Amino acid sequence: MTDDQLRVFWTPERVKEALRNPAKAPAKRPARDRAAASSSPPPGLTASAPARGFGANTARSEANAAAGMSVSQEVPPGAGNNIVGKLIYYSPATGKVTHCSAASIATANKNTIWTAGHCVHPGDGSGQAGWSQYVMYYPGYSRGDDPLGEWKAARLLAPTAWTQDGDAQEADVAAVVLSPRLDGNLEDVVGYALGYLFTENRTDYGGAAVMGYPGEGYQRSDLDGERLMYCAGDTTDAFPINPFDDRIKIDCDMGRGVSGGPFVWGPQNDPRIVGAASHVALDDASQRISDDLFSSEHGSHAAALINTANGA
């Protein structure tokens, strides 16, 4: 995608439409048969890296909230807010422009953001035709202001378990490698990048936070997708009675638009991504039934994906 093509497509009206139109989370679909998944990463694959740019005295306001805050609040202003931003794109599956949330993640190229798989592909087996198009990222977006400008996507990466099978249990994750700009790489311009901890069979992260741009919420009517919001609390195993389902859950009322927003855990000088907002619990009429917010397990699939991004 050339810069000229992006400029022609993203008219001011289309940009405004995308920023107002939060992405819809996918319906939960069963995980594929692991034994038949030849493209799956080896079981037990892990990946970790520390955050960059967070000094010992760096304020991380989203993690300073009282534990168990499930009613989302706006993240107070601060330079650290630039680690999260809005991802806008055209979806061939819906024929619409829309937005997700994403966050800067520490990689060798210093130009990668982490988000949900359904923000880059519908997960319906449509192959190349399904990938999101005209993808742009706005770090630090708030109330119509994009203080660090726009960043063009160079590569979209998602597990085959998502793109082919829509596996929200293990694989609704994605990495977007951005093109560097004349003023530098994303991480250098933003000043921060979250670290990560991707390991199987872990769901308990005490004192975590989730951030994003919700355009709606559970029993909320005041969310407009224009503000960076957060919840804080402990993550838990979403389905402890099922040893094969290690989705992460946090109590949070954020809905459409928070998709891809990071689940962050760790000390103030080393905050790490341990999940990404994926989906919520719905009844048969597609109505939300609780304030549970789920992330796919960030284990082997997430580890393989970030390793690919590190090689990009």
Side-chain angles (χ1 to χ4, degrees):
M1 190 72 61
T2 67
D3 290 345
D4 286 343
Q5 288 173 315
L6 284 169
R7 278 191 289 268
V8 169
F9 181 82
W10 285 118
T11 62
E13 293 74 22
R14 274 206 181 110
V15 171
K16 290 179 181 178
E17 182 183 352
L19 293 172
R20 290 193 303 262
N21 184 24
K24 184 178 180 180
K28 169 66 173 62
R29 292 170 61 186
R32 62 179 178 174
D33 181 355
R34 294 187 184 118
S38 60
S39 61
S40 290
L45 185 67
T46 64
S48 65
R52 295 199 287 247
F54 291 86
N57 298 318
T58 300
R60 220 178 105 239
S61 55
E62 75 278 359
N64 293 333
M69 191 191 75
S70 60
V71 178
S72 57
Q73 296 183 14
E74 186 171 2
V75 177
N81 296 358
N82 294 336
I83 58 173
V84 183
K86 269 195 177 186
L87 188 70
I88 67 171
Y89 57 94
Y90 169 77
S91 170
T94 64
K96 297 179 179 179
V97 292
T98 187
H99 79 258
C100 278
S101 302
S104 176
I105 189 169
T107 51
N109 58 50
K110 296 187 176 183
N111 277 314
T112 300
I113 55 175
W114 195 255
T115 189
H118 69 267
C119 299
V120 302
H121 196 283
D124 58 358
S126 56
Q128 285 296 119
W131 289 101
S132 298
Q133 300 174 7
Y134 305 103
V135 181
M136 302 287 287
Y137 179 61
Y138 295 86
Y141 178 91
S142 179
R143 301 172 182 266
D145 183 30
D146 46 272
L148 300 180
E150 60 188 28
W151 295 75
K152 181 179 71 172
R155 292 184 64 189
L156 307 180
L157 306 171
T160 303
W162 173 256
T163 60
Q164 286 189 359
D165 304 308
D167 182 355
Q169 190 168 300
E170 296 183 346
D172 187 12
V173 298
V176 179
V177 180
L178 305 171
S179 296
R181 300 192 315 198
L182 292 177
D183 56 347
N185 296 315
L186 176 73
E187 184 180 325
D188 298 326
V189 174
V190 168
Y192 305 89
L194 294 167
Y196 51 89
L197 178 62
F198 300 156
T199 182
E200 290 187 337
N201 308 124
R202 177 166 182 181
T203 57
D204 58 324
Y205 296 97
V210 58
M211 295 170 281
Y213 295 89
E216 65 175 22
Y218 179 65
Q219 298 181 345
R220 294 283 293 269
S221 59
D222 60 327
L223 299 177
D224 57 8
E226 287 293 294
R227 299 167 291 157
L228 179 60
M229 307 290 287
Y230 77 106
C231 294
D234 300 338
T235 69
T236 59
D237 187 337
F239 294 93
I241 63 173
N242 184 350
F244 299 107
D245 188 342
D246 287 313
R247 278 179 286 163
I248 299 170
K249 181 184 77 171
I250 191 169
D251 292 335
C252 184
D253 63 0
M254 292 192 285
R256 289 181 61 175
V258 75
S259 291
F263 281 46
V264 181
W265 170 84
Q268 289 190 15
N269 65 339
D270 188 17
R272 302 197 184 197
I273 295 176
V274 295
S278 170
H279 55 280
V280 298
L282 305 175
D283 61 18
D284 292 339
S286 296
Q287 298 299 308
R288 190 169 178 180
I289 60 175
S290 71
D291 66 356
D292 293 339
L293 180 61
F294 300 94
S295 164
S296 288
E297 176 187 3
H298 273 47
S300 293
H301 287 289
L305 190 65
I306 198 65
N307 288 343
T308 300
N310 270 310

Coordinates of all heavy atoms in Angstrom, one line a residue, residues 162-244:
W162 N -6.0 -18.4 14.2 CA -7.0 -17.4 14.2 C -7.5 -17.2 12.7 O -8.7 -17.3 12.5 CB -6.5 -16.0 14.7 CG -7.6 -15.0 14.5 CD1 -7.6 -14.0 13.5 CD2 -8.9 -14.9 15.1 NE1 -8.8 -13.3 13.6 CE2 -9.6 -13.9 14.5 CE3 -9.4 -15.7 16.2 CZ2 -10.9 -13.5 14.9 CZ3 -10.7 -15.3 16.6 CH2 -11.4 -14.3 16.0
T163 N -6.7 -16.9 11.8 CA -7.1 -16.6 10.4 C -7.9 -17.7 9.8 O -8.8 -17.5 9.0 CB -5.9 -16.2 9.5 OG1 -5.0 -17.3 9.4 CG2 -5.2 -15.0 10.1
Q164 N -7.5 -19.0 10.0 CA -8.3 -20.1 9.4 C -9.4 -20.6 10.2 O -10.5 -20.9 9.7 CB -7.3 -21.3 9.2 CG -6.3 -21.1 8.1 CD -5.5 -22.4 7.8 OE1 -5.7 -23.4 8.5 NE2 -4.7 -22.3 6.8
D165 N -9.3 -20.6 11.6 CA -10.2 -21.2 12.4 C -11.0 -20.3 13.4 O -11.8 -20.8 14.1 CB -9.6 -22.4 13.2 CG -8.9 -23.3 12.3 OD1 -9.5 -23.8 11.4 OD2 -7.7 -23.6 12.5
G166 N -10.6 -19.1 13.5 CA -11.3 -18.2 14.4 C -11.2 -18.6 15.9 O -12.1 -18.5 16.6
D167 N -10.0 -19.2 16.3 CA -9.9 -19.7 17.6 C -9.7 -18.6 18.6 O -8.5 -18.1 18.9 CB -8.6 -20.7 17.6 CG -8.4 -21.3 19.0 OD1 -9.1 -21.0 19.9 OD2 -7.5 -22.2 19.0
A168 N -10.8 -18.2 19.3 CA -10.7 -17.1 20.3 C -10.2 -17.6 21.6 O -9.9 -16.8 22.5 CB -12.1 -16.5 20.4
Q169 N -10.1 -18.9 21.7 CA -9.6 -19.5 23.0 C -8.1 -19.3 23.1 O -7.6 -18.9 24.2 CB -10.0 -21.0 23.0 CG -9.8 -21.7 24.3 CD -10.4 -23.0 24.3 OE1 -11.6 -23.1 24.1 NE2 -9.6 -24.1 24.5
E170 N -7.4 -19.5 22.0 CA -5.9 -19.4 22.1 C -5.3 -18.4 21.2 O -4.1 -18.2 21.3 CB -5.3 -20.8 21.8 CG -5.7 -21.9 22.8 CD -5.0 -23.2 22.4 OE1 -4.5 -23.3 21.3 OE2 -5.0 -24.1 23.3
A171 N -6.0 -17.9 20.2 CA -5.3 -17.3 19.1 C -5.8 -15.9 18.6 O -5.4 -15.5 17.5 CB -5.2 -18.2 17.9
D172 N -6.7 -15.3 19.3 CA -7.2 -14.0 18.9 C -6.2 -12.9 19.3 O -6.4 -12.0 20.1 CB -8.6 -13.7 19.5 CG -9.2 -12.4 18.9 OD1 -8.7 -11.9 17.9 OD2 -10.2 -11.9 19.5
V173 N -5.0 -13.0 18.6 CA -3.9 -12.1 18.9 C -3.3 -11.6 17.6 O -3.4 -12.3 16.6 CB -2.8 -12.7 19.8 CG1 -3.4 -13.1 21.1 CG2 -2.3 -13.9 19.1
A174 N -2.7 -10.5 17.5 CA -2.1 -10.0 16.3 C -1.0 -9.0 16.6 O -1.0 -8.3 17.7 CB -3.1 -9.3 15.4
A175 N 0.0 -8.9 15.7 CA 1.0 -7.9 15.8 C 1.0 -7.1 14.5 O 0.8 -7.7 13.4 CB 2.4 -8.5 16.0
V176 N 1.1 -5.8 14.5 CA 1.2 -5.0 13.4 C 2.5 -4.3 13.3 O 2.9 -3.6 14.3 CB 0.1 -3.9 13.4 CG1 0.2 -3.1 12.1 CG2 -1.3 -4.6 13.4
V177 N 3.3 -4.6 12.3 CA 4.6 -3.9 12.2 C 4.4 -2.7 11.3 O 3.9 -2.7 10.2 CB 5.6 -4.9 11.5 CG1 7.0 -4.2 11.3 CG2 5.8 -6.2 12.3
L178 N 4.8 -1.6 11.9 CA 4.6 -0.3 11.3 C 5.8 0.2 10.5 O 6.9 -0.3 10.7 CB 4.3 0.8 12.3 CG 3.1 0.5 13.3 CD1 3.1 1.5 14.4 CD2 1.8 0.4 12.5
S179 N 5.6 1.0 9.5 CA 6.7 1.6 8.7 C 7.3 2.7 9.6 O 6.6 3.5 10.1 CB 6.2 2.2 7.4 OG 5.7 1.2 6.6
P180 N 8.6 2.8 9.6 CA 9.3 3.9 10.3 C 9.0 5.2 9.6 O 8.7 5.2 8.4 CB 10.8 3.6 10.2 CG 10.9 2.7 9.1 CD 9.6 1.9 9.0
R181 N 9.0 6.3 10.3 CA 8.8 7.6 9.7 C 10.1 8.4 9.6 O 11.1 8.0 10.1 CB 7.8 8.4 10.5 CG 6.4 7.8 10.6 CD 5.4 8.7 11.2 NE 5.8 9.5 12.3 CZ 5.0 10.1 13.2 NH1 3.7 10.0 13.0 NH2 5.4 10.8 14.2
L182 N 10.1 9.5 9.0 CA 11.3 10.3 8.9 C 11.8 10.8 10.2 O 13.0 11.0 10.4 CB 11.0 11.6 8.0 CG 10.8 11.3 6.5 CD1 10.4 12.6 5.8 CD2 11.9 10.6 5.9
D183 N 10.9 10.9 11.2 CA 11.3 11.3 12.6 C 11.7 10.1 13.4 O 12.0 10.3 14.6 CB 10.3 12.2 13.2 CG 8.9 11.5 13.3 OD1 8.7 10.4 12.6 OD2 8.0 12.0 14.1
G184 N 11.7 8.9 12.9 CA 12.2 7.8 13.7 C 11.3 6.6 13.8 O 10.2 6.6 13.1
N185 N 11.6 5.7 14.6 CA 10.8 4.5 14.9 C 9.7 4.9 15.9 O 9.8 5.8 16.7 CB 11.6 3.3 15.4 CG 12.6 2.9 14.4 OD1 12.3 2.7 13.2 ND2 13.9 2.7 14.8
L186 N 8.6 4.0 15.9 CA 7.5 4.3 16.8 C 8.0 4.4 18.3 O 7.7 5.3 19.0 CB 6.5 3.2 16.7 CG 5.3 3.3 17.7 CD1 4.4 4.4 17.3 CD2 4.6 1.9 17.8
E187 N 8.8 3.4 18.7 CA 9.2 3.4 20.1 C 10.0 4.6 20.4 O 9.9 5.2 21.5 CB 10.1 2.1 20.3 CG 10.5 2.0 21.8 CD 11.3 0.7 22.0 OE1 11.0 -0.3 21.4 OE2 12.2 0.8 22.9
D188 N 10.9 5.1 19.5 CA 11.6 6.3 19.8 C 10.8 7.6 19.9 O 11.0 8.4 20.7 CB 12.7 6.5 18.7 CG 13.7 5.4 18.6 OD1 14.0 4.8 19.7 OD2 14.1 5.0 17.5
V189 N 9.8 7.6 19.0 CA 8.9 8.8 19.0 C 7.9 8.8 20.3 O 7.7 9.8 20.9 CB 8.1 8.9 17.7 CG1 7.0 10.0 17.8 CG2 9.0 9.1 16.6
V190 N 7.4 7.6 20.5 CA 6.5 7.4 21.7 C 7.2 7.6 23.0 O 6.7 8.2 24.0 CB 5.7 6.1 21.6 CG1 5.0 5.8 22.9 CG2 4.7 6.1 20.4
G191 N 8.4 7.0 23.0 CA 9.2 7.0 24.2 C 9.1 5.9 25.1 O 9.8 5.7 26.1
Y192 N 8.1 5.0 24.8 CA 7.8 3.8 25.7 C 7.4 2.6 24.8 O 6.9 2.8 23.7 CB 6.6 4.1 26.6 CG 6.8 5.3 27.5 CD1 6.3 6.6 27.0 CD2 7.3 5.2 28.7 CE1 6.4 7.7 27.8 CE2 7.5 6.3 29.5 CZ 7.0 7.6 29.1 OH 7.1 8.7 29.9
A193 N 7.7 1.4 25.3 CA 7.1 0.2 24.7 C 6.9 -0.8 25.9 O 7.8 -1.0 26.7 CB 8.1 -0.4 23.7
L194 N 5.7 -1.4 25.9 CA 5.4 -2.4 26.9 C 6.2 -3.6 26.7 O 6.4 -4.0 25.5 CB 3.9 -2.7 26.9 CG 3.0 -1.5 27.3 CD1 1.5 -1.9 27.0 CD2 3.1 -1.3 28.8
G195 N 6.7 -4.3 27.7 CA 7.3 -5.6 27.6 C 6.2 -6.6 27.4 O 5.0 -6.3 27.3
Y196 N 6.5 -7.9 27.5 CA 5.5 -8.9 27.4 C 5.9 -10.2 28.2 O 7.1 -10.4 28.4 CB 5.2 -9.3 25.9 CG 6.5 -9.6 25.1 CD1 7.0 -10.9 25.0 CD2 7.1 -8.5 24.4 CE1 8.1 -11.1 24.3 CE2 8.2 -8.8 23.6 CZ 8.7 -10.1 23.6 OH 9.9 -10.4 22.8
L197 N 4.9 -11.0 28.5 CA 5.1 -12.2 29.2 C 4.1 -13.2 28.6 O 2.9 -13.1 29.0 CB 5.0 -12.1 30.7 CG 5.1 -13.4 31.5 CD1 6.5 -14.0 31.3 CD2 4.9 -13.2 33.0
F198 N 4.5 -14.0 27.7 CA 3.6 -15.0 27.0 C 4.0 -16.4 27.4 O 5.0 -16.9 27.0 CB 3.7 -14.8 25.5 CG 3.3 -13.4 25.0 CD1 3.8 -13.0 23.8 CD2 2.5 -12.6 25.7 CE1 3.5 -11.7 23.3 CE2 2.2 -11.3 25.3 CZ 2.7 -10.9 24.1
T199 N 3.1 -17.0 28.2 CA 3.4 -18.3 28.8 C 2.2 -19.1 28.9 O 1.1 -18.5 29.3 CB 4.2 -18.2 30.1 OG1 4.5 -19.5 30.6 CG2 3.4 -17.5 31.2
E200 N 2.2 -20.4 28.7 CA 1.0 -21.2 28.7 C 0.6 -21.5 30.2 O 1.4 -21.5 31.1 CB 1.2 -22.5 28.0 CG 1.3 -22.4 26.5 CD 1.3 -23.7 25.8 OE1 1.7 -24.7 26.4 OE2 0.9 -23.7 24.6
N201 N -0.7 -21.7 30.4 CA -1.3 -22.2 31.6 C -1.2 -21.2 32.8 O -1.3 -21.6 33.9 CB -0.6 -23.5 32.0 CG -0.7 -24.5 30.9 OD1 0.4 -25.1 30.5 ND2 -1.9 -24.8 30.4
R202 N -1.0 -19.9 32.5 CA -1.0 -18.9 33.5 C -2.1 -17.9 33.2 O -2.2 -17.4 32.2 CB 0.3 -18.2 33.7 CG 0.2 -17.1 34.7 CD 1.5 -16.5 35.2 NE 1.2 -15.5 36.3 CZ 2.2 -14.8 36.9 NH1 3.5 -15.0 36.6 NH2 1.8 -14.0 37.8
T203 N -3.0 -17.7 34.3 CA -4.1 -16.7 34.1 C -4.2 -15.8 35.3 O -4.9 -14.8 35.2 CB -5.4 -17.5 34.0 OG1 -5.5 -18.3 35.2 CG2 -5.4 -18.4 32.8
D204 N -3.4 -16.0 36.3 CA -3.5 -15.2 37.5 C -2.5 -14.0 37.6 O -1.3 -14.3 37.9 CB -3.4 -16.0 38.8 CG -2.1 -16.8 38.8 OD1 -1.6 -17.2 37.7 OD2 -1.5 -17.0 39.9
Y205 N -2.9 -12.8 37.2 CA -2.0 -11.7 37.3 C -2.7 -10.7 38.2 O -3.6 -10.0 37.8 CB -1.8 -11.1 35.9 CG -1.1 -12.0 34.9 CD1 -1.9 -12.8 34.0 CD2 0.3 -12.1 34.9 CE1 -1.2 -13.7 33.2 CE2 0.9 -13.0 34.1 CZ 0.2 -13.8 33.2 OH 0.8 -14.7 32.3
G206 N -2.2 -10.6 39.4 CA -2.7 -9.7 40.4 C -2.4 -8.2 40.1 O -1.2 -7.9 39.8
G207 N -3.3 -7.3 40.3 CA -3.1 -5.9 40.1 C -2.8 -5.5 38.7 O -2.0 -4.7 38.4
A208 N -3.6 -6.1 37.8 CA -3.4 -5.8 36.4 C -4.3 -4.7 36.0 O -5.1 -4.2 36.8 CB -3.8 -7.1 35.5
A209 N -4.2 -4.3 34.7 CA -5.0 -3.2 34.2 C -5.3 -3.5 32.7 O -4.5 -4.2 32.0 CB -4.4 -1.8 34.3
V210 N -6.4 -3.1 32.2 CA -6.7 -3.2 30.7 C -7.1 -1.8 30.2 O -7.8 -1.1 30.9 CB -7.8 -4.3 30.5 CG1 -9.1 -3.9 31.2 CG2 -8.1 -4.4 29.0
M211 N -6.6 -1.4 29.1 CA -6.9 -0.1 28.5 C -7.4 -0.2 27.1 O -7.0 -1.1 26.4 CB -5.6 0.7 28.6 CG -5.0 1.0 30.0 SD -3.4 1.7 29.9 CE -2.4 0.2 29.6
G212 N -8.1 0.8 26.7 CA -8.6 0.9 25.3 C -9.6 2.0 25.1 O -9.8 2.9 26.0
Y213 N -10.2 2.0 23.9 CA -11.1 3.0 23.5 C -12.5 2.5 23.3 O -13.0 2.3 22.1 CB -10.6 3.7 22.2 CG -9.3 4.4 22.4 CD1 -8.1 3.7 22.2 CD2 -9.2 5.7 22.7 CE1 -6.9 4.4 22.4 CE2 -8.0 6.4 22.9 CZ -6.9 5.7 22.7 OH -5.6 6.4 22.8
P214 N -13.3 2.2 24.4 CA -14.6 1.6 24.2 C -15.6 2.6 23.7 O -15.7 3.7 24.1 CB -15.0 1.2 25.6 CG -14.2 2.1 26.5 CD -12.9 2.4 25.8
G215 N -16.4 2.1 22.7 CA -17.5 2.9 22.2 C -18.8 2.6 22.8 O -19.9 3.2 22.6
E216 N -18.8 1.5 23.6 CA -20.0 1.1 24.4 C -19.5 0.3 25.6 O -18.3 -0.1 25.7 CB -20.9 0.2 23.5 CG -20.3 -1.1 23.1 CD -21.3 -2.0 22.3 OE1 -22.2 -1.5 21.8 OE2 -21.0 -3.2 22.3
G217 N -20.4 0.0 26.5 CA -20.0 -0.8 27.7 C -21.2 -1.4 28.3 O -22.3 -1.2 28.0
Y218 N -20.9 -2.3 29.3 CA -21.9 -3.0 30.0 C -22.6 -2.1 31.0 O -22.0 -1.5 31.9 CB -21.3 -4.2 30.7 CG -22.3 -5.0 31.6 CD1 -23.3 -5.8 30.9 CD2 -22.2 -5.1 32.9 CE1 -24.2 -6.5 31.7 CE2 -23.1 -5.9 33.7 CZ -24.0 -6.6 33.0 OH -24.9 -7.3 33.8
Q219 N -23.9 -1.9 30.8 CA -24.7 -1.0 31.6 C -24.1 0.4 31.6 O -24.2 1.1 32.6 CB -24.9 -1.5 33.0 CG -25.6 -2.9 33.0 CD -25.8 -3.5 34.4 OE1 -25.2 -3.0 35.4 NE2 -26.6 -4.5 34.5
R220 N -23.6 0.8 30.5 CA -23.0 2.2 30.3 C -23.6 2.8 29.1 O -23.9 2.2 28.1 CB -21.5 2.1 30.1 CG -20.7 1.6 31.3 CD -20.6 2.7 32.4 NE -19.8 3.8 32.1 CZ -18.5 3.9 32.3 NH1 -17.8 2.9 32.8 NH2 -17.9 5.1 32.0
S221 N -23.8 4.1 29.1 CA -24.3 4.9 28.0 C -23.5 6.1 27.7 O -23.8 6.9 26.8 CB -25.8 5.3 28.2 OG -25.9 6.2 29.3
D222 N -22.3 6.2 28.4 CA -21.5 7.4 28.3 C -20.2 7.2 27.6 O -19.3 8.1 27.6 CB -21.3 8.0 29.6 CG -20.5 7.0 30.6 OD1 -20.7 5.8 30.4 OD2 -19.7 7.5 31.4
L223 N -20.0 6.0 27.0 CA -18.7 5.7 26.3 C -18.8 6.0 24.8 O -19.7 5.5 24.2 CB -18.3 4.2 26.6 CG -18.2 3.9 28.0 CD1 -17.9 2.4 28.2 CD2 -17.1 4.7 28.7
D224 N -17.9 6.8 24.3 CA -18.0 7.3 23.0 C -16.8 6.9 22.1 O -16.7 7.3 20.9 CB -18.1 8.8 22.9 CG -17.0 9.5 23.7 OD1 -16.0 8.9 24.1 OD2 -17.1 10.7 23.8
G225 N -15.8 6.1 22.6 CA -14.7 5.7 21.8 C -13.6 6.8 21.7 O -12.6 6.6 21.0
E226 N -13.8 8.0 22.2 CA -12.9 9.1 22.1 C -11.9 9.2 23.2 O -11.0 10.0 23.1 CB -13.7 10.4 22.0 CG -14.5 10.5 20.7 CD -13.5 10.7 19.5 OE1 -12.8 11.8 19.5 OE2 -13.4 9.8 18.7
R227 N -12.1 8.5 24.3 CA -11.2 8.6 25.4 C -10.6 7.3 25.7 O -11.2 6.2 25.6 CB -12.1 9.0 26.7 CG -12.7 10.4 26.5 CD -13.8 10.6 27.6 NE -14.9 9.7 27.5 CZ -15.7 9.4 28.5 NH1 -15.5 9.8 29.7 NH2 -16.7 8.6 28.3
L228 N -9.3 7.4 26.2 CA -8.6 6.2 26.6 C -9.1 5.8 28.0 O -8.9 6.6 29.0 CB -7.1 6.4 26.6 CG -6.2 5.3 27.1 CD1 -6.4 4.0 26.3 CD2 -4.7 5.7 27.2
M229 N -9.7 4.7 28.2 CA -10.3 4.2 29.4 C -9.5 3.0 30.0 O -8.8 2.4 29.3 CB -11.7 3.9 29.2 CG -12.6 4.9 28.5 SD -12.9 6.4 29.5 CE -14.1 5.7 30.7
Y230 N -9.7 2.8 31.3 CA -9.1 1.6 31.9 C -9.9 1.0 33.0 O -10.7 1.7 33.6 CB -7.7 1.9 32.4 CG -7.7 2.7 33.7 CD1 -7.3 2.1 34.9 CD2 -8.1 4.1 33.8 CE1 -7.3 2.8 36.1 CE2 -8.1 4.7 35.0 CZ -7.7 4.1 36.2 OH -7.7 4.8 37.3
C231 N -9.7 -0.3 33.2 CA -10.2 -1.0 34.4 C -8.9 -1.6 35.1 O -7.9 -1.7 34.5 CB -11.1 -2.1 34.1 SG -12.7 -1.6 33.3
A232 N -9.0 -1.9 36.4 CA -7.9 -2.5 37.1 C -8.5 -3.6 38.0 O -9.6 -3.5 38.5 CB -7.2 -1.4 37.9
G233 N -7.6 -4.6 38.3 CA -8.0 -5.7 39.1 C -7.2 -6.9 38.9 O -6.2 -6.8 38.1
D234 N -7.6 -8.0 39.4 CA -6.9 -9.3 39.2 C -7.5 -10.0 38.1 O -8.7 -10.1 37.9 CB -7.0 -10.1 40.5 CG -6.4 -9.5 41.7 OD1 -5.6 -8.5 41.6 OD2 -6.8 -9.9 42.9
T235 N -6.6 -10.6 37.3 CA -7.1 -11.5 36.2 C -7.3 -12.9 36.8 O -6.6 -13.3 37.7 CB -6.2 -11.6 35.0 OG1 -5.0 -12.2 35.4 CG2 -5.9 -10.2 34.5
T236 N -8.2 -13.7 36.2 CA -8.4 -15.0 36.7 C -8.6 -16.0 35.5 O -8.8 -15.5 34.3 CB -9.7 -15.1 37.5 OG1 -10.8 -14.6 36.8 CG2 -9.6 -14.2 38.8
D237 N -8.6 -17.2 35.8 CA -8.9 -18.3 34.7 C -10.4 -18.2 34.4 O -11.2 -18.3 35.3 CB -8.5 -19.6 35.3 CG -8.6 -20.8 34.3 OD1 -9.4 -20.6 33.3 OD2 -8.0 -21.8 34.5
A238 N -10.7 -17.9 33.1 CA -12.1 -17.7 32.8 C -12.9 -19.0 32.9 O -14.1 -18.9 33.2 CB -12.2 -17.2 31.3
F239 N -12.3 -20.1 32.7 CA -13.0 -21.4 32.8 C -12.1 -22.5 33.5 O -11.6 -23.4 32.9 CB -13.4 -21.9 31.4 CG -14.4 -21.0 30.7 CD1 -13.9 -20.0 29.9 CD2 -15.7 -21.1 30.9 CE1 -14.8 -19.1 29.3 CE2 -16.6 -20.3 30.3 CZ -16.2 -19.3 29.5
P240 N -12.1 -22.3 34.9 CA -11.2 -23.2 35.6 C -11.5 -24.7 35.6 O -10.7 -25.5 35.8 CB -11.3 -22.7 37.1 CG -12.6 -21.9 37.1 CD -12.8 -21.4 35.7
I241 N -12.8 -25.0 35.2 CA -13.2 -26.4 35.2 C -12.7 -27.1 33.9 O -12.8 -28.3 33.7 CB -14.7 -26.6 35.3 CG1 -15.5 -25.9 34.2 CG2 -15.2 -26.0 36.7 CD1 -17.0 -26.2 34.2
N242 N -12.3 -26.3 32.9 CA -11.8 -26.8 31.6 C -10.3 -26.7 31.6 O -9.8 -25.6 31.3 CB -12.5 -26.1 30.5 CG -12.1 -26.7 29.1 OD1 -11.2 -27.5 29.0 ND2 -12.8 -26.3 28.1
P243 N -9.5 -27.7 31.7 CA -8.0 -27.6 31.7 C -7.5 -27.2 30.4 O -6.3 -26.8 30.3 CB -7.6 -29.0 32.2 CG -8.7 -29.9 31.7 CD -9.9 -29.1 31.9
F244 N -8.3 -27.3 29.3 CA -7.8 -26.9 28.0 C -8.1 -25.5 27.6 O -7.8 -25.1 26.5 CB -8.3 -27.9 26.9 CG -7.9 -29.4 27.2 CD1 -8.8 -30.3 27.7 CD2 -6.6 -29.7 27.0 CE1 -8.4 -31.6 27.9 CE2 -6.2 -31.0 27.2 CZ -7.1 -32.0 27.7

